[in-house]
Amino acid sequence: MAYKNLIVDKKEGIGFIKINRPKVLNALNSETIKEITKVVCELENDKKIKVAILTGEGKAFIAGADISSMANMTPLEAKEFAKLGHIMLNKIERSRIPFIAAVNGFALGGGCEILQACDIAIAAKSAKLGQPEINLGIHPGFGGTQRLPRLVGIMKAKELLLTGRNIDGDEAFNIGLVNMVVEDDQLMETAEDIAGKIAGKSSVQIQFIKELVNTGLDIDLNSANSLEISYFSSGFSTYDQKEGMKAFLEKRKPIFKGK
Ligand code: CAA
């Protein structure tokens, strides 16, 4: 499928999505948001794809929602726009495929919110992250007031949301907003290395782990642990469980089939 605002590639079980609006620092207008939602569906429907990497073209990951397209929105249009953003982020979060955000530069506003819906985030040393919406007289509309406190804690989230201050890769790592910080020229290599490791695992278990962590965090601990028992037991009906344990006992690498 051809996309106007994205560069999409597939290689060895990994889907690559690059936001391609560098003139506006990859700002998200409705069209780009819809395209991202669509490409997540496309990758999900391709059974060869087990993991995806999301990054941006040029000096930004994503500098936020497109301010020029938002400036004159009516409340109703703003509601529809925020809903589109939430649909996109829910799609990423609930996808069977883990998403790795390779944060190559500015990840502000909606850009920072996108990485919060990803499963793993790697920041380049020079990246700048934050929720500067308050400087525009608004607050985050793509889940930043909700996912950010869950990720970094209530006090730190409120500080970032209330001051609109940008942070660098190291600070993002220190507060738990990204998994690691790497030299700029190591970013894609690191993302591909992690993606490659995931691509070698059982796609059944990749999906189970995502579902368990995401669902479990929204329900009480007892129910969440019961859910784990139920997923754990159903794992024993799969080829991949038999193969994984057999390979261990035979001292060889498992070959998972995702069934
Ligand atoms: N929307 C639309 N255009 C944007 C943009 C955005 N979020 N961010 C940058 N651009 C455009 C600029 O207007 C500029 O366009 P022109 O060349 O036509 O003037 C171009 O991208 C390059 O940007 P700058 O010249 O500003 O680049 P810089 O290096 O000097 O500054 C920056 C970079 C600090 C990221 C600055 O561009 C900036 O502050 N951008 C806005 C960041 C922001 O506020 N994001 C939050 C948006 S609101 C949101 O996301 C709401 C939500 O939760 C849904």
Side-chain angles (χ1 to χ4, degrees):
M1 200 177 294
Y3 296 93
K4 192 171 146 199
N5 304 289
L6 310 176
I7 299 167
V8 179
D9 198 8
K10 298 177 190 177
K11 196 175 67 184
E12 292 164 10
I14 307 171
F16 294 82
I17 305 168
K18 190 182 262 191
I19 319 293
N20 189 29
R21 300 185 80 214
K23 282 193 181 135
V24 287
L25 306 186
N26 302 321
L28 299 172
N29 58 3
S30 299
E31 189 181 54
T32 309
I33 293 171
K34 285 180 190 163
E35 286 195 352
I36 296 171
T37 309
K38 205 181 263 183
V39 78
V40 175
C41 295
E42 184 194 326
L43 295 178
E44 243 191 352
N45 290 333
D46 183 339
K47 294 297 171 221
K48 286 198 218 87
I49 299 297
K50 293 171 92 174
V51 54
I53 298 175
L54 181 65
T55 193
E57 174 65 27
K59 71 173 182 177
F61 175 66
I62 297 165
D66 190 319
I67 299 168
S68 50
S69 74
M70 277 190 300
N72 294 315
M73 277 181 184
T74 63
L76 202 61
E77 286 165 342
K79 188 174 182 180
E80 289 310 309
F81 185 62
K83 275 190 188 167
L84 274 184
H86 278 271
I87 290 169
M88 166 182 70
L89 297 194
N90 288 340
K91 190 80 210 153
I92 290 173
E93 198 168 58
R94 294 171 195 169
S95 166
R96 69 168 180 83
I97 304 166
F99 279 78
I100 300 173
V103 184
N104 55 305
F106 295 109
L108 302 176
C112 193
E113 289 167 297
I114 250 195
L115 85 82
Q116 293 161 29
C118 289
D119 302 281
I120 293 172
I122 308 164
K125 233 179 167 59
S126 68
K128 290 273 179 290
L129 304 90
Q131 300 288 170
E133 287 89 342
I134 196 160
N135 301 325
L136 299 166
I138 58 168
H139 61 68
F142 295 172
T145 62
Q146 304 310 311
R147 288 193 183 88
L148 189 62
R150 284 165 170 78
L151 279 169
V152 305
I154 297 168
M155 299 284 253
K156 185 46 83 177
K158 282 182 182 161
E159 182 219 316
L160 294 175
L161 292 163
L162 292 170
T163 63
R165 159 175 98 78
N166 293 341
I167 59 176
D168 62 18
D170 285 325
E171 188 173 352
F173 172 69
N174 288 334
I175 66 170
L177 185 55
V178 299
N179 296 71
M180 64 190 83
V181 189
V182 296
E183 294 300 330
D184 291 12
D185 62 1
Q186 297 293 304
L187 180 68
M188 283 314 286
E189 201 179 306
T190 309
E192 284 188 44
D193 182 49
I194 295 173
K197 286 195 173 90
I198 295 172
K201 314 291 187 218
S202 159
S203 52
V204 178
Q205 289 304 325
I206 292 172
Q207 184 171 356
F208 278 10
I209 289 167
K210 267 197 78 162
E211 281 178 17
L212 279 168
V213 174
N214 288 342
T215 311
L217 286 171
D218 283 338
I219 59 179
D220 68 279
L221 186 59
N222 269 338
S223 309
N225 280 333
S226 297
L227 201 64
E228 189 193 71
I229 293 170
S230 136
Y231 275 58
F232 183 76
S233 57
S234 67
F236 283 73
S237 67
T238 64
Y239 169 90
D240 286 349
Q241 176 268 327
K242 305 276 174 283
E243 165 64 7
M245 294 192 178
K246 192 162 175 268
F248 174 82
L249 296 172
E250 292 171 359
K251 302 190 188 306
R252 61 172 174 83
K253 272 188 88 163
I255 301 166
F256 294 119
K257 293 191 173 169
K259 58 183 190 178

